[in-house]
Amino acid sequence: MSRVKKALIVATVGIAGAVAVPASANAGIYTWKFAGSYASSADCQSAGPGVATAQDADAWRCSTTSTGASLYLGYIW
């Protein structure tokens, strides 16, 4: 097999492999929705994973506010 033919086969397999890999859960654009207020950042951090799972969210984050913390759920669209 010639070098050129081997190179084409390797390139084709490489491109096919790159296309077949699914996107990471952290990739993409999120729509963020308010999910609740908490007395402290620690309370928000503790609640985040459970609320995100229950609401089938792709991500979650807490933002500090003047009265505690707010939980937001992210959905990839």
Side-chain angles (χ1 to χ4, degrees), residues 5 8 10 18 22 27 31-32 39-40 56 62 65 67 71 73:
K5 193 171 185 179
L8 287 173
V10 170
T31 299
W32 293 97
S40 69
D56 200 28
C62 293
T65 66
T67 59
L71 175 64
L73 300 178

Side-chain angles (χ1 to χ4, degrees), residues 26-59:
N26 293 326
I29 299 171
Y30 291 93
T31 299
W32 293 97
K33 296 186 179 182
F34 176 77
S37 296
Y38 295 88
S40 69
S41 183
D43 292 340
C44 185
Q45 294 289 334
S46 176
V51 174
T53 299
Q55 298 296 318
D56 200 28
D58 297 302

Side-chain angles (χ1 to χ4, degrees), residues 9-20:
I9 291 170
V10 170
T12 302
V13 171
I15 291 170
V19 173

